[in-house]
Amino acid sequence: MSRIGVFICHCGENISRTVDVELVASTASQFPGVAFATDYKYMCSDPGQSLIKKAVSEHRLTHVVVAACSPRMHERTFRKAVEQVGLNPFLCEMANIREHCSWVHEDREEATQKAIEIVGMLVERVKKNRVLPTITVPVTKRALVIGGGIAGIQAALDIADAGHQVVLVEREPSIGGHMAQLSETFPTLDCSQCIMTPKMVDLANHPNIIMHTYSEIEQVDGYIGNFQVTIRKKARSVDENKCTGCGICMTKCPQKKIPNIFDRNLGTRTAIYVPFPQAVPNVPVIDRENCTMFKTGKCGVCQKVCGPGAIDFNQQDTLIVEPVGAIVVATGFELYDITEKPKGSPIKGYGEFGHGKIPDVIDGLTFERLASASGPTGGKILRPSDGKEPKQVVFIQCVGSRSREKGISYCSKICCMYTAKHTMLYHHKVHDGQAYVFFMDARVPGKSYDEFWRRAIEEEEAVYIRGMVSRLYQKGDKIVVMGSDISVGVQVEIEADLVVLATAVQPRKGADALAQKLGISYDKYHFYSEAHAKLKPVECATAGIYLAGACQGPKDIPDTVSQASAAAAKVMTLFSKDKLEREPIVARVKENNCVGCFACRKVCAYGAVEEKEIRDRQGNLIKMVAYVNPGVCAGCGTCQATCPSKSVELDGYTDEQIVAMIEAL
Amino acid sequence: MHTEKPKHDFEPKIIAFVCTWCTYAGADLAGTSRMQYPANVRVLKFPCTGRIDPVFIIKAFQQGADGILISGCHPGDCHYISGNYHARRRFAAFRKLLEFIGVDLNRIQFSWVSAAEGGKWVDVVTDLTERVRTMGPMVEFKDLALEEQWSGGLNSPDLQEIYEAM
Ligand SMILES: Cc1cc2nc3c(=O)[nH]c(=O)nc-3n(C[C@H](O)[C@H](O)[C@H](O)COP(=O)(O)OP(=O)(O)OC[C@H]3O[C@@H](n4cnc5c(N)ncnc54)[C@H](O)[C@@H]3O)c2cc1C
Ligand code: SF4
Ligand code: SF4
């Protein structure tokens, strides 16, 4: 016989203003099985929790229903409270009479009636709740970091410094990400390379870090504390262990005219190359598409000149399996490219800006390469078409961003600041030049950010024009910029030598494919989703996977680094225990019932359903049944609704519990 | 501002089967944003729409529900990767069955309401309540349920009659 305690919260006045809480309590006390019911001003407060605990002991309560706010808010609080007085936490349920009742209805009578019914449903449900044991799983104290931009580097260093092994996987031949491409960085204008490269070297030399560059994630199995990750190490055609990084191969390679992607195609590179001089590891890779040896079978110059004999044209991709307990995803972002109208991209193209056909219309990252001392122009601002120094430069913000018509409604967050930075860098390098900026508004919150932006205008003489640009076209060697200045309501036309577009920050192409391998969710743009926008900003909803950097949304370096360190801290928290507990909301198979059709296995997105042999005492096989691995099961219950023989049950959401609620109506 | 609510002759019972991650959270958001909607809906929380067994719908109709709402994460946003796709397929088939046995499909609403769509939750619930209100009570399943739970013991005459007829 159950002895249920019902506790109705006033939530100050948030509930009691529209719901007659005393009436709910007195009605609930009459429900069959209810041994005690009361109301209180703040159930979640310390005295409120004590009241519950005392009642459990005094009235020998077997189950508890707390009618208050959403269980998403305080279910844990109350389950912990009852646990302290010896009740299994899963014998406590919450009835949501605030978000789902008092806040959304005005009529007191209706709201009170609804609250009574909600409480009634939960009372019937809790009667069917079972004691659920905590599930413990072992933890492999090694972490995987995907992506070697500043986010991945920071997270890896933090975790490794704490004494744990880290496996870092970077898709490109070198780590560094976008930050390696930047010239100087806002808000302090220190040189990006100077602050970045020491970290890259630290990472490469760290005894706790295994770095796999030119590698990708092939497959992810397992679950929190126990992932098995298969990594594809792409064939570099250069033996990393033999190469000394002397670089002679690159000087002799006959293929010299390949556009250098790292320099945004402004310069060229050879077929055997390192993406940039400070690359880590400093080991070249052969671009097989452009290599004469791979194309014609003749050449091999690099092999002939390589002293240590590191060149290996026959190298194959290799697969490595790494066991890890936690994963940090730090795959960063991409800029929207106006030269293409990308398939599947939400942006509708930029015909009015010439679709990238005008050579002197470039994007912000290309400008970074022009301004970079180690870039293709040695840090001189020279325009791509004729190498002349531009005297009038127009910067256009929000290209793609904040435009529902163009398909990206979010703000890319970093471009206001980097455009201000660009105007300054330009002014420092071309003293007689003039920078114009078309902007909608300046979004520059952040420490020292507003001051920085003002400096661009007040000291560095950038002219900011509030308005949009409707068209760009080539006229002689000028680019005509047609726009409007909405602050004075006039049309503006500027003949520019160079136009720099602050194009939208987008997730990586293929971000969705990686998410599917990892089993994490993403938003409609394909940025990865955190578990809670405010309170769980670095955790994925999938346990054991954390996010860092621009893969989760547009971010500048300070935010990226903070999030990376936060993700590392979460990993270290996880690694501070040898075993971990997880919510026991998992599916269980009733083996006597199971007919072994494995319909459940087909629908389980986590691969949690395994095959199990049932044998008699003599060891003869009787039948095969489904077995749900409680470490892997995420607790969605799809298998249960699918099973034709009703042999799977999701603890916490059994048919009995659900039907009890329906019948209470 | 307190507007007088119109009283209706018939207040339909609406049962909503929702997933925790999206629609339940969306309904919470409607609450935190203090949006208003009819009090007819009772919400049953599931981890995922994938857990929702069509039998629950029949059961709810038997218990006197006049309208039913099933709502979860938008396609592609399922917290459990693909539970909502399985649910969608399952309910597409189940709708056909309901139609075949003569249930007016206007009583059942399927929708996607994300955790960010408090307003959509309000709209969906309001529309369904108003629609079902004009349709009147759903009695067929309730009556059947009553018939199934005959009053007498195992050997009542009415039962005997049914046995003989079979
Ligand atoms: C023009 C421009 C100027 C900027 N200027 C500044 C500035 O002055 N100050 C400032 O604070 N911020 C600035 N930023 C922002 C800064 O670049 C970002 O904050 C930072 O680079 C984000 O780091 P990240 O590691 O998250 O991403 P990324 O730098 O994009 O690094 C991600 C890494 O992951 C790798 N990767 C991607 N996918 C995979 C995969 N599937 N498997 C393995 N590896 C993968 C990539 O190759 C890359 O190395 C600027 C950005 C731009 C575009
Ligand atoms: S950060 Fe500035 S430039 Fe970039 S999208 Fe936002 S408002 Fe536009
Ligand atoms: S509850 Fe979901 S995750 Fe668990 S075994 Fe069933 S289908 Fe798989």
Side-chain angles (χ1 to χ4, degrees):
Chain A
M1 202 27 220
S2 40
R3 297 178 54 79
I4 302 167
V6 180
F7 302 86
I8 319 286
C9 182
H10 300 200
C11 191
E13 282 191 353
N14 279 305
I15 294 171
S16 56
R17 193 179 298 129
T18 24
V19 171
D20 182 344
V21 281
E22 282 99 22
L23 183 62
V24 179
S26 63
T27 313
S29 68
Q30 303 303 312
F31 289 152
V34 173
F36 178 78
T38 189
D39 59 280
Y40 184 70
K41 209 150 190 74
Y42 289 108
M43 280 298 171
C44 62
S45 68
D46 211 31
Q49 291 188 43
S50 306
L51 181 151
I52 297 175
K53 287 190 256 184
K54 210 168 126 221
V56 170
S57 314
E58 263 174 25
H59 299 274
R60 289 173 292 113
L61 300 179
T62 54
H63 303 81
V64 165
V65 172
V66 183
C69 54
S70 170
R72 294 171 65 248
M73 190 89 196
H74 272 313
E75 189 173 77
R76 276 192 153 198
T77 315
F78 294 118
R79 285 188 168 170
K80 249 190 214 149
V82 301
E83 197 175 15
Q84 284 163 7
V85 280
L87 215 56
N88 183 277
F90 295 91
L91 300 178
C92 169
E93 290 283 351
M94 283 191 76
N96 184 345
I97 59 167
R98 192 180 74 175
E99 282 84 344
H100 289 191
C101 189
S102 73
W103 275 350
V104 289
H105 308 309
E106 280 171 346
D107 186 301
R108 192 168 169 84
E109 205 177 305
E110 261 181 15
T112 304
Q113 183 54 34
K114 181 172 176 181
I116 290 172
E117 286 184 33
I118 295 175
V119 172
M121 270 163 56
L122 269 301
V123 164
E124 287 310 313
R125 181 190 213 279
V126 85
K127 279 183 199 168
K128 307 286 182 194
N129 281 18
R130 283 195 295 238
V131 169
L132 298 182
T134 10
I135 297 177
T136 55
V137 284
V139 182
T140 309
K141 296 184 184 179
R142 296 174 90 227
L144 170 75
V145 174
I146 310 174
I150 184 61
I153 292 175
Q154 184 67 40
L157 285 174
D158 283 359
I159 300 168
D161 283 343
H164 304 294
Q165 267 206 354
V166 178
V167 180
L168 183 127
V169 175
E170 165 59 54
R171 178 159 74 175
E172 299 299 324
S174 169
I175 56 171
H178 282 102
M179 205 179 148
Q181 286 175 288
L182 304 183
S183 52
E184 287 162 20
T185 52
F186 65 74
T188 44
L189 290 190
D190 38 11
C191 132
S192 190
Q193 292 277 353
C194 313
I195 53 177
M196 182 69 171
T197 37
K199 276 191 184 282
M200 291 163 61
V201 175
D202 281 356
L203 188 125
N205 294 338
H206 204 296
N208 284 340
I209 300 180
I210 304 169
M211 189 171 73
H212 297 297
T213 49
Y214 208 44
S215 300
E216 285 186 55
I217 303 299
E218 184 83 4
Q219 196 183 327
V220 180
D221 296 306
Y223 50 94
I224 181 168
N226 300 276
F227 295 104
Q228 302 285 333
V229 184
T230 313
I231 298 161
R232 175 177 294 273
K233 233 177 145 51
K234 292 177 280 188
R236 226 180 227 277
S237 316
V238 177
D239 187 332
E240 279 183 76
N241 297 322
K242 289 189 188 155
C243 174
T244 59
C246 70
I248 184 136
C249 50
M250 293 185 273
T251 60
K252 302 288 181 209
C253 176
Q255 291 282 356
K256 296 199 192 300
K257 292 247 146 36
I258 305 158
N260 187 340
I261 298 174
F262 184 83
D263 281 338
R264 307 290 286 172
N265 300 341
L266 291 176
T268 55
R269 62 160 169 82
T270 44
I272 184 163
Y273 72 106
V274 290
F276 53 103
Q278 305 83 348
V280 171
N282 183 18
V283 178
V285 47
I286 296 182
D287 163 6
R288 293 188 171 186
E289 264 171 39
N290 288 303
C291 165
T292 325
M293 187 69 182
F294 280 98
K295 286 203 297 202
T296 66
K298 279 187 225 112
C299 180
V301 168
C302 52
Q303 196 171 38
K304 283 174 208 133
V305 298
C306 177
I311 311 290
D312 178 2
F313 294 114
N314 297 321
Q315 211 180 49
Q316 302 288 320
D317 288 6
T318 46
L319 294 179
I320 306 164
V321 179
E322 295 276 14
V324 295
I327 301 177
V328 177
V329 189
T331 49
F333 68 102
E334 240 165 57
L335 284 185
Y336 165 57
D337 182 357
I338 74 153
T339 61
E340 46 178 325
K341 190 176 167 307
K343 238 193 262 154
S345 157
I347 304 196
K348 298 206 176 74
Y350 263 96
E352 65 271 39
F353 288 0
H355 266 319
K357 299 255 162 58
I358 311 171
D360 293 326
V361 176
I362 61 173
D363 67 10
L365 208 50
T366 313
F367 190 85
E368 294 282 341
R369 294 314 297 146
L370 286 179
S372 170
S374 59
T377 56
K380 291 204 184 73
I381 309 290
L382 303 175
R383 62 185 207 168
S385 65
D386 52 13
K388 279 195 202 142
E389 195 176 64
K391 298 296 177 196
Q392 300 238 56
V393 181
V394 171
F395 293 87
I396 306 175
Q397 291 192 181
C398 293
V399 176
S401 315
R402 303 177 64 200
S403 160
R404 248 170 271 174
E405 306 78 66
K406 292 291 184 191
I408 290 194
S409 47
Y410 59 83
C411 168
S412 293
K413 201 172 171 193
I414 57 173
C415 6
C416 287
M417 279 298 281
Y418 77 59
T419 301
K421 173 183 78 174
H422 288 171
T423 66
M424 291 187 193
L425 296 178
Y426 173 65
H427 192 237
H428 294 172
K429 293 181 190 245
V430 185
H431 301 296
D432 58 343
Q434 180 61 55
Y436 300 92
V437 181
F438 281 90
F439 76 125
M440 288 207 260
D441 33 31
R443 301 191 159 180
V444 287
K447 196 169 166 179
S448 314
Y449 280 20
D450 199 66
E451 296 91 318
F452 182 85
W453 175 69
R454 278 173 191 283
R455 207 171 100 205
I457 302 171
E458 290 163 7
E459 293 170 31
E460 312 272 2
E461 292 161 19
V463 173
Y464 270 69
I465 303 166
R466 192 182 293 273
M468 312 263 269
V469 171
S470 52
R471 223 189 124 201
L472 296 178
Y473 63 91
Q474 186 93 49
K475 186 176 151 200
D477 70 342
K478 301 276 182 194
I479 301 146
V480 180
V481 180
M482 297 176 63
S484 55
D485 183 340
I486 56 168
S487 57
V488 283
V490 293
Q491 297 296 313
V492 192
E493 225 182 88
I494 300 173
E495 296 205 345
D497 301 311
L498 180 70
V499 174
V500 184
L501 308 177
T503 44
V505 170
Q506 285 190 289
R508 297 261 172 196
K509 279 183 206 85
D512 49 341
L514 181 64
Q516 278 148 18
K517 283 181 196 164
L518 289 162
I520 60 174
S521 40
Y522 44 87
D523 66 16
K524 68 174 177 189
Y525 302 106
H526 294 179
F527 283 119
Y528 297 141
S529 307
E530 63 284 357
H532 188 286
K534 283 168 281 183
L535 302 178
K536 288 187 173 177
V538 301
E539 296 99 320
C540 284
T542 308
I545 305 187
Y546 307 90
L547 300 174
C551 60
Q552 181 241 0
K555 261 183 212 76
D556 56 19
I557 298 165
D559 280 0
T560 298
V561 172
S562 313
Q563 198 188 18
S565 287
K570 290 284 168 192
V571 171
M572 284 158 349
T573 313
L574 176 65
F575 289 177
S576 67
K577 300 191 196 92
D578 297 321
K579 284 187 181 296
L580 57 107
E581 289 180 357
R582 54 152 297 172
E583 227 193 12
I585 306 297
V586 290
R588 262 183 310 122
V589 177
K590 292 182 251 176
E591 290 173 358
N592 291 339
N593 260 10
C594 175
V595 294
C597 72
F598 295 105
C600 49
R601 192 163 62 177
K602 287 200 201 93
V603 297
C604 179
Y606 298 87
V609 183
E610 296 163 10
E611 283 184 27
K612 181 175 168 184
E613 294 177 348
I614 301 287
R615 295 184 177 272
D616 64 12
R617 269 193 217 138
Q618 282 74 45
N620 304 316
L621 184 68
I622 303 175
K623 64 172 181 176
M624 299 298 288
V625 295
Y627 168 74
V628 174
N629 184 331
V632 185
C633 173
C636 67
T638 301
C639 52
Q640 177 167 11
T642 306
C643 175
S645 62
K646 298 264 159 274
S647 309
V648 199
E649 233 179 22
L650 182 66
D651 278 335
Y653 292 91
T654 60
D655 281 351
E656 246 196 330
Q657 288 168 300
I658 308 293
V659 169
M661 285 176 86
I662 299 175
E663 285 182 342
L665 286 163
Chain B
M1 213 178 55
H2 199 97
T3 43
E4 202 50 45
K5 270 192 54 184
K7 289 276 174 231
H8 300 281
D9 299 337
F10 167 57
E11 285 297 346
K13 230 188 221 189
I14 308 290
I15 305 199
F17 297 97
V18 308
C19 79
T20 300
W21 301 98
C22 291
T23 305
Y24 194 90
D28 275 1
L29 179 64
T32 20
S33 321
R34 311 295 200 276
M35 295 166 172
Q36 299 291 309
Y37 57 85
N40 306 56
V41 67
R42 301 290 174 270
V43 175
L44 268 73
K45 177 165 79 77
F46 291 81
C48 177
T49 44
R51 167 69 188 92
I52 303 169
D53 192 323
V55 170
F56 299 151
I57 297 181
I58 308 270
K59 191 83 205 167
F61 277 138
Q62 288 183 338
Q63 290 305 123
D66 303 299
I68 285 175
L69 171 64
I70 295 163
S71 179
C73 308
H74 285 262
D77 290 348
C78 180
H79 179 80
Y80 299 100
I81 304 168
S82 57
N84 59 355
Y85 285 120
H86 292 295
R88 182 165 70 176
R89 196 177 308 164
R90 190 184 302 143
F91 286 115
F94 184 63
R95 269 170 76 88
K96 292 218 178 88
L97 180 70
L98 286 178
E99 193 171 23
F100 178 73
I101 58 174
V103 175
D104 188 336
L105 293 183
N106 284 318
R107 292 188 182 276
I108 307 176
Q109 175 78 41
F110 298 83
S111 69
W112 318 117
V113 174
S114 79
E117 294 174 325
K120 185 168 177 199
W121 166 254
V122 171
D123 292 345
V124 168
V125 169
T126 311
D127 289 353
L128 180 65
T129 310
E130 294 315 323
R131 190 165 78 215
V132 172
R133 196 196 304 285
T134 62
M135 295 172 74
M138 163 95 179
V139 287
E140 294 85 350
F141 278 56
K142 208 156 132 186
D143 290 352
L144 272 178
L146 289 178
E147 238 170 79
E148 201 184 301
Q149 293 155 8
W150 73 97
S151 51
L154 283 169
N155 280 327
S156 67
D158 50 340
L159 237 198
Q160 205 56 42
E161 205 177 295
I162 294 170
Y163 283 155
E164 270 156 28
M166 278 177 6

